[in-house]
Amino acid sequence: MSQQAVNGVSHRGRVLTLDSMNPNVKRVEYAVRGPIVQRAVQIEKELKEGAKKPFTEVIKANIGDAHAMGQKPITFFRQVLALCSYPALLEDSKFPEDAKQRARRILEACGGHSIGAYSASQGIECIRQDVARYIEKRDGGIPSNPDNIYLSTGASDAIVTILKLLVCGEGRDRTGVMISIPQYPLYSAALADLGAVQINYYLDEDNCWSLNITELRRALSAAREHCNPRVLCIINPGNPTGQVQSRQCIEDVIRFAKEEHLFLMADEVYQDNVYAEGCQFHSFKKVLFEMGPEYSNTVEMASFHSTSKCYMGECGFRGGYMEVINLDPEVKAQLIKLVSVRLCPPVPGQALLDLVVNPPQPDEPSYATFMKERTAVLSALAEKARLTEQIFNTVPGITCNPVQGAMYTFPRITLPQKAIDKAKELGLVPDMFYCMRLLDEEGICLVPGSGFGQREGTYHFRSVWLNSHKDFKGHQILIFY
Amino acid sequence: MSQQAVNGVSHRGRVLTLDSMNPNVKRVEYAVRGPIVQRAVQIEKELKEGAKKPFTEVIKANIGDAHAMGQKPITFFRQVLALCSYPALLEDSKFPEDAKQRARRILEACGGHSIGAYSASQGIECIRQDVARYIEKRDGGIPSNPDNIYLSTGASDAIVTILKLLVCGEGRDRTGVMISIPQYPLYSAALADLGAVQINYYLDEDNCWSLNITELRRALSAAREHCNPRVLCIINPGNPTGQVQSRQCIEDVIRFAKEEHLFLMADEVYQDNVYAEGCQFHSFKKVLFEMGPEYSNTVEMASFHSTSKCYMGECGFRGGYMEVINLDPEVKAQLIKLVSVRLCPPVPGQALLDLVVNPPQPDEPSYATFMKERTAVLSALAEKARLTEQIFNTVPGITCNPVQGAMYTFPRITLPQKAIDKAKELGLVPDMFYCMRLLDEEGICLVPGSGFGQREGTYHFRSVWLNSHKDFKGHQILIFY
């Protein structure tokens, strides 16, 4: 090769640049781990290196990461995982019999009796059976078929996979996907990545972030002008808004989906996180089947769950599953083919999921400790939910809806005009400006409402539930202006 | 809602059907877990239920799944994973000190000292540092920057992520990606999914599946007529062909990539699996840097590794990493944003990867056992490599290249015309017909060559290395016709 050619190439610059990369990826945004979190990590480093700040540690209220915030893992789960990782411990008398029995059952279902073997791409069969039994029990006996269960790498993986199957068409025929605003930004990110059309429907802040069918109709009818709406996504209990949907609301949503020929995606990863008096979790599957065969035989649905939230909070294991209802058998074959390309979900996460859906029973030695630990975590979360709402509602300029479920609040902030002007001057969205100030001056890391979506002219932030009043000093920022 | 509307909807049929789904997903194929494997699982079920067959068990030579084939995990790795899962064991005197020290270090790097917390999306920082040090040691001191290391969910995840960044454009501007034929079908599957143009370059079967620059030039120049070739993918050691590239060949490839302005993707997951006399693994990174700054400052590259192969074979943990070289800083920011949407790779897999890159040292208590186990696994693999080549070359109608590395051979089968005619009659690709017969009659599960790609009119299969002569009785199928 001549020197000329070499120079020719080097003058051409890089193969992959911001200008020459996939434009869909450029459109992806994910605020939960966005610039504010990168700044928080930077500040933590500065503190470690001895920098003087008005605070000594960063309170990370940006992400629902239970263990990172001090929640302890459930002993039984971790005992079984240790046994599965190092089966020599099966001979150790310190481990309870029920933990050993679970570990043996999981290992027997693994290739070569090792969690280091690939599993079936859909997930280990006996774990899918356990998931199906768990769903049946949760839903008062409505049958669940293990063939409809797909284990996944956290719920995010399954959500993206189903969206990928659904998105097609060009121009006005492009698939439109209805998502709530505010939303969990995995949805907008996945839609940007897939080049799908995002259809916003707004939750009703004045009515505790409830979902309103009239608003769904408005959003759908507007979207039909420019795309092909085929999917309706629901998050219940809500993220970032923490509301819990009533049975009536779920029925209305299902009726709407059937009437409007929409595929339903029910993100139910917070199903154990319900705290408010009078609130209860109703699964979409159960309500669908209680509405009779006219619905349960026709409405296509996928429901998602994970090991990352609820009382276990095991985010790092990336365990999860989805159940599909009324999925076309030919599409199911395509789904199995698609998931097989990534070989299988992580087997330790599958094992953990098995324990979540098949925990210690009353006649087993680990039951008492398990229940004590589970109850303690859920009570602490409920207490924090109450406390968080109370803290925010005493701060001038902040109003916070009653907290019903999940792990978040999404309070509204009334920013003084001077603050809005200052933000504009700095080229920042006003609530990003607020959150950045809060981080820099008080060491509190929240995610600006703009990362989840909000009605024009309103400002919010998402906060994971706090441990104490001391955790929130943000009113100074509002008062300053 | 009126009954009419309900009927109207039900007449419309399903929202999601084969006709209305994402056409890119339909084009995805993944033979390693394709119809032949589904049939194998079916036969295994029938055997369990007492069905009489000419064999008593299915030999699964379709996938490199070491533990499933009886390989034992490395004790030290599993001890540390048990300690990380259930830290109460840190008080147990049965565990060696070096295992405890590794576990403590990993736990200290986790949020809340729990592997159940999310990690940074790029992976735990101290593990990325360990990976960088490992690469430096492997490559004789050539520096590696932890900021260029991205931990992943197996290597597949990282490969798909980099391809996703690279694919853009429409029509003749659509990104083209050069892949070897035969190839590992993750590549063709990912390209179909992304709607990229697959550019085939053929490995030279007559020269031990070596890579020939003239063939690369031919393929590139033909592709430039209809797309925008931007990426060159290399698998070394080869999958499914088991060849190991010479240093000279790697230099030629790097020169070609620079000259032709291509982004290099080096799939090096079999880097410890080299057996043949005179063969040695050379990393693309090392060769690139040894070629001088003219290359090492300009050629853009990503190299992939995983915990699933080599001597550990821990497929189920889905651990892996990639190192990027000369990646545009703005693209890096986009990459971090993109991986953050999926939150983080599974933390147990990250922990395992840390042990692979930072194994017991000579002065540590676990060193002797570790080395003994590692050597035993690699010797057994080398022995099987020899045996497999020998077995296949004694079978009439089968010719097999010398086995140099990885875990596979890709022998050529000369099918009698009658067999080819019969296959066509049944609507099957001839090598699929052969493999199906072999499965049904002998209980041996191989993957047909057509699943990896092969020159028109030639037929092959991929086989994972076999345990003994008894494992292969496929010549009867050839003789039968």
Side-chain angles (χ1 to χ4, degrees):
Chain A
M1 191 185 47
S2 71
Q3 186 60 33
Q4 269 183 319
V6 171
N7 289 340
V9 171
S10 69
H11 287 151
R12 275 187 278 173
R14 286 195 166 89
V15 178
L16 181 61
T17 65
L18 204 56
D19 285 337
S20 70
M21 69 177 275
N22 183 337
N24 285 350
V25 172
K26 265 192 275 187
R27 278 190 282 269
V28 166
E29 284 182 27
Y30 188 70
V32 173
R33 296 205 148 186
I36 200 140
V37 183
Q38 286 164 30
R39 176 85 192 112
V41 170
Q42 179 59 30
I43 289 176
E44 277 185 327
K45 266 195 184 164
E46 290 169 22
L47 284 173
K48 242 186 197 167
E49 289 158 3
K52 287 218 169 129
K53 304 257 177 197
F55 47 88
T56 52
E57 59 163 344
V58 175
I59 296 166
K60 281 198 187 155
N62 62 296
I63 190 165
D65 187 357
H67 292 196
M69 294 185 88
Q71 185 182 307
K72 294 285 162 252
I74 300 289
T75 303
F76 179 77
F77 292 177
R78 294 307 196 88
Q79 285 175 329
V80 179
L81 288 166
L83 290 162
C84 288
S85 300
Y86 187 49
L89 293 171
L90 286 165
E91 306 305 316
D92 191 322
S93 59
K94 280 201 303 294
F95 284 81
E97 265 316 308
D98 49 355
K100 290 183 184 175
Q101 180 264 324
R102 293 291 196 297
R104 278 195 203 97
R105 183 161 173 272
I106 292 167
L107 289 171
E108 268 163 32
C110 291
H113 295 186
S114 167
I115 57 169
Y118 288 123
S119 78
S121 300
Q122 196 176 349
I124 293 172
E125 191 171 0
C126 82
I127 300 182
R128 290 190 289 111
Q129 287 164 354
D130 288 348
V131 169
R133 273 197 291 266
Y134 163 83
I135 293 172
E136 284 178 358
K137 202 173 154 195
R138 181 196 70 188
D139 291 343
I142 291 163
S144 171
N145 183 345
D147 287 346
N148 289 337
I149 309 292
Y150 294 75
L151 307 192
S152 58
T153 308
S156 307
D157 171 41
I159 290 168
V160 171
T161 301
I162 286 292
L163 285 172
K164 181 177 277 180
L165 289 177
L166 278 155
V167 172
C168 63
E170 294 301 329
R172 280 192 59 160
D173 290 332
R174 193 69 181 158
T175 297
V177 179
M178 304 186 74
I179 63 171
S180 62
I181 298 295
Q183 54 117 13
Y184 173 57
L186 166 70
Y187 290 89
S188 52
L191 298 181
D193 186 354
L194 292 165
V197 180
Q198 175 178 325
I199 306 169
N200 297 336
Y201 65 88
Y202 290 87
L203 300 176
D204 186 356
E205 182 165 16
D206 296 336
N207 282 296
C208 204
W209 296 113
S210 65
L211 190 160
N212 181 313
I213 299 293
T214 313
E215 167 60 10
L216 281 183
R217 286 198 197 290
R218 180 208 60 76
L220 183 71
S221 130
R224 287 219 162 109
E225 301 291 311
H226 62 90
C227 71
N228 178 18
R230 302 177 70 200
V231 193
L232 171 57
C233 300
I234 306 280
I235 311 175
N236 177 50
N239 177 4
T241 37
Q243 84 285 12
V244 177
Q245 290 185 344
S246 68
R247 199 188 173 292
Q248 183 59 50
C249 174
I250 294 172
E251 241 191 81
D252 292 346
V253 168
I254 291 172
R255 204 169 282 122
F256 175 80
K258 178 168 171 63
E259 212 173 335
E260 302 294 348
H261 207 232
L262 298 170
F263 190 104
L264 252 180
M265 291 177 61
D267 180 340
E268 304 182 317
V269 301
Y270 297 98
Q271 55 188 261
D272 289 338
N273 297 109
V274 176
Y275 310 106
E277 285 282 325
C279 281
Q280 198 191 329
F281 171 72
H282 303 277
S283 80
F284 267 77
K285 162 96 179 285
K286 181 163 191 261
V287 176
L288 177 73
F289 277 71
E290 287 172 353
M291 287 169 76
E294 184 192 325
Y295 291 90
S296 65
N297 290 340
T298 59
V299 175
E300 295 155 73
M301 196 181 91
S303 157
F304 307 91
H305 196 18
S306 126
T307 58
S308 303
K309 311 296 168 184
C310 301
Y311 64 93
M312 48 282 184
E314 295 275 15
C315 315
F317 280 83
R318 315 305 300 119
Y321 76 80
M322 68 174 160
E323 182 183 26
V324 296
I325 314 288
N326 292 320
L327 195 66
D328 185 305
E330 288 181 317
V331 175
K332 261 183 169 174
Q334 294 286 324
L335 173 57
I336 288 174
K337 181 189 72 176
L338 182 62
V339 296
S340 76
V341 176
R342 296 293 189 95
L343 298 160
C344 69
V347 177
Q350 295 187 45
L352 179 64
L353 178 67
D354 190 49
L355 306 171
V356 170
V357 298
N358 183 19
Q361 297 304 303
D363 58 348
E364 291 185 318
S366 301
Y367 183 73
T369 307
F370 169 73
M371 284 308 286
K372 205 179 113 198
E373 290 175 352
R374 183 185 191 278
T375 309
V377 170
L378 289 175
S379 310
L381 285 171
E383 176 55 24
K384 284 186 196 176
R386 268 190 298 277
L387 191 67
T388 305
E389 178 189 339
Q390 191 188 318
I391 294 168
F392 287 140
N393 279 324
T394 59
V395 177
I398 293 185
T399 48
C400 177
N401 263 320
V403 163
Q404 299 176 329
M407 300 169 70
Y408 315 101
T409 46
F410 197 70
R412 183 160 173 178
I413 39 179
T414 311
L415 290 173
Q417 191 57 44
K418 273 167 78 183
I420 295 171
D421 295 343
K422 182 74 184 168
K424 283 189 182 150
E425 200 185 308
L426 295 167
L428 290 173
V429 183
D431 50 15
M432 174 63 96
F433 170 68
Y434 174 78
C435 289
M436 277 290 185
R437 289 291 305 268
L438 199 61
L439 176 59
D440 279 332
E441 293 177 25
E442 306 289 347
I444 301 168
C445 181
L446 303 170
V447 189
S450 44
F452 303 89
Q454 53 200 350
R455 280 200 184 273
E456 182 81 28
T458 69
Y459 306 111
H460 301 77
F461 58 78
R462 184 184 86 164
S463 172
V464 175
W465 294 345
L466 305 168
N467 287 309
S468 79
H469 278 82
K470 278 181 289 177
D471 284 356
F472 196 78
K473 293 152 270 170
H475 58 289
Q476 296 170 12
I477 308 293
L478 288 162
I479 290 162
F480 179 75
Y481 281 93
Chain B
M1 193 185 46
S2 71
Q3 187 57 33
Q4 269 181 321
V6 171
N7 288 339
V9 170
S10 68
H11 287 151
R12 273 186 278 172
R14 285 196 167 90
V15 177
L16 181 60
T17 65
L18 204 57
D19 286 336
S20 70
M21 69 176 277
N22 184 336
N24 285 350
V25 172
K26 266 191 277 188
R27 280 190 282 268
V28 166
E29 283 182 26
Y30 189 70
V32 175
R33 296 205 149 187
I36 199 138
V37 184
Q38 284 163 31
R39 175 87 190 111
V41 171
Q42 178 60 32
I43 290 177
E44 277 185 326
K45 266 195 184 163
E46 290 169 20
L47 284 172
K48 243 186 197 167
E49 288 158 4
K52 288 218 169 131
K53 306 255 177 200
F55 47 89
T56 54
E57 59 163 344
V58 175
I59 296 167
K60 282 196 186 157
N62 62 296
I63 188 165
D65 188 356
H67 291 197
M69 295 185 86
Q71 185 182 309
K72 295 285 162 248
I74 299 289
T75 303
F76 179 78
F77 292 177
R78 294 309 195 87
Q79 285 175 329
V80 178
L81 288 167
L83 290 162
C84 288
S85 300
Y86 187 49
L89 292 171
L90 286 165
E91 306 307 316
D92 191 321
S93 59
K94 281 199 302 294
F95 285 81
E97 266 314 308
D98 49 354
K100 289 183 185 176
Q101 181 262 327
R102 294 290 197 296
R104 278 196 203 96
R105 183 160 173 274
I106 292 167
L107 289 172
E108 268 162 32
C110 292
H113 297 185
S114 168
I115 57 169
Y118 289 122
S119 77
S121 300
Q122 197 177 347
I124 293 173
E125 191 171 359
C126 81
I127 299 181
R128 289 190 288 112
Q129 288 164 354
D130 287 347
V131 169
R133 274 195 291 265
Y134 163 83
I135 294 171
E136 284 178 359
K137 204 174 153 193
R138 181 196 70 189
D139 291 344
I142 291 163
S144 171
N145 183 345
D147 287 346
N148 290 338
I149 309 292
Y150 294 75
L151 307 193
S152 57
T153 308
S156 308
D157 170 41
I159 291 167
V160 172
T161 300
I162 286 293
L163 285 172
K164 181 177 278 181
L165 288 177
L166 279 155
V167 173
C168 61
E170 294 301 328
R172 282 190 59 156
D173 291 331
R174 192 68 181 161
T175 296
V177 178
M178 304 186 73
I179 63 172
S180 63
I181 297 294
Q183 54 120 12
Y184 173 56
L186 167 70
Y187 290 90
S188 52
L191 298 181
D193 185 355
L194 291 165
V197 180
Q198 174 178 326
I199 304 169
N200 297 337
Y201 65 88
Y202 291 86
L203 299 177
D204 185 356
E205 182 164 15
D206 296 336
N207 281 295
C208 203
W209 296 114
S210 66
L211 190 159
N212 182 313
I213 300 292
T214 313
E215 167 60 12
L216 280 183
R217 285 199 200 288
R218 180 210 58 78
L220 183 71
S221 129
R224 286 221 163 106
E225 302 290 313
H226 61 91
C227 70
N228 178 18
R230 302 176 71 201
V231 192
L232 171 56
C233 300
I234 306 279
I235 311 176
N236 177 52
N239 178 4
T241 38
Q243 84 285 15
V244 177
Q245 292 186 345
S246 69
R247 199 187 173 294
Q248 183 59 49
C249 174
I250 293 171
E251 241 190 82
D252 292 346
V253 168
I254 291 171
R255 205 168 282 121
F256 175 79
K258 180 171 170 62
E259 214 173 332
E260 301 295 348
H261 207 231
L262 299 170
F263 191 104
L264 252 180
M265 290 177 61
D267 180 339
E268 305 182 317
V269 302
Y270 297 98
Q271 56 189 262
D272 290 339
N273 298 110
V274 176
Y275 311 105
E277 285 282 326
C279 281
Q280 197 191 331
F281 171 72
H282 303 275
S283 80
F284 268 78
K285 163 96 180 284
K286 181 162 190 262
V287 177
L288 177 73
F289 276 71
E290 287 172 353
M291 289 169 74
E294 186 193 323
Y295 291 90
S296 65
N297 290 340
T298 60
V299 175
E300 295 155 74
M301 195 182 92
S303 158
F304 307 91
H305 195 18
S306 127
T307 58
S308 303
K309 310 298 168 185
C310 301
Y311 64 92
M312 49 282 182
E314 296 274 15
C315 314
F317 279 83
R318 314 307 298 119
Y321 76 79
M322 67 174 161
E323 182 183 27
V324 296
I325 313 288
N326 292 321
L327 194 66
D328 185 307
E330 288 181 318
V331 175
K332 263 184 167 173
Q334 294 286 325
L335 172 56
I336 288 176
K337 181 189 73 177
L338 182 61
V339 296
S340 76
V341 177
R342 295 293 188 94
L343 298 159
C344 68
V347 176
Q350 295 187 46
L352 178 65
L353 177 67
D354 191 49
L355 306 171
V356 169
V357 298
N358 182 21
Q361 297 304 303
D363 58 348
E364 291 184 320
S366 301
Y367 182 74
T369 307
F370 169 74
M371 284 309 286
K372 205 179 111 198
E373 291 176 352
R374 183 184 190 278
T375 310
V377 169
L378 289 175
S379 311
L381 285 171
E383 176 55 23
K384 284 186 198 177
R386 270 190 297 276
L387 191 67
T388 303
E389 177 188 340
Q390 192 188 316
I391 294 169
F392 287 140
N393 279 325
T394 58
V395 178
I398 294 186
T399 47
C400 178
N401 262 319
V403 164
Q404 299 177 329
M407 300 168 70
Y408 315 102
T409 47
F410 197 69
R412 182 158 173 178
I413 39 180
T414 310
L415 290 172
Q417 190 58 43
K418 273 167 77 182
I420 295 171
D421 295 342
K422 181 75 184 165
K424 281 188 183 150
E425 199 184 309
L426 296 167
L428 289 174
V429 181
D431 50 14
M432 173 62 96
F433 170 69
Y434 174 77
C435 289
M436 277 289 185
R437 288 290 306 266
L438 199 60
L439 176 60
D440 280 334
E441 293 177 26
E442 304 290 347
I444 301 168
C445 181
L446 303 170
V447 189
S450 44
F452 303 88
Q454 54 202 350
R455 280 200 185 273
E456 183 79 29
T458 68
Y459 306 111
H460 301 77
F461 58 78
R462 185 185 83 165
S463 172
V464 175
W465 294 343
L466 303 169
N467 287 310
S468 80
H469 278 82
K470 279 181 288 178
D471 284 357
F472 196 77
K473 293 151 268 170
H475 57 289
Q476 295 171 12
I477 308 293
L478 288 163
I479 291 163
F480 179 76
Y481 282 94

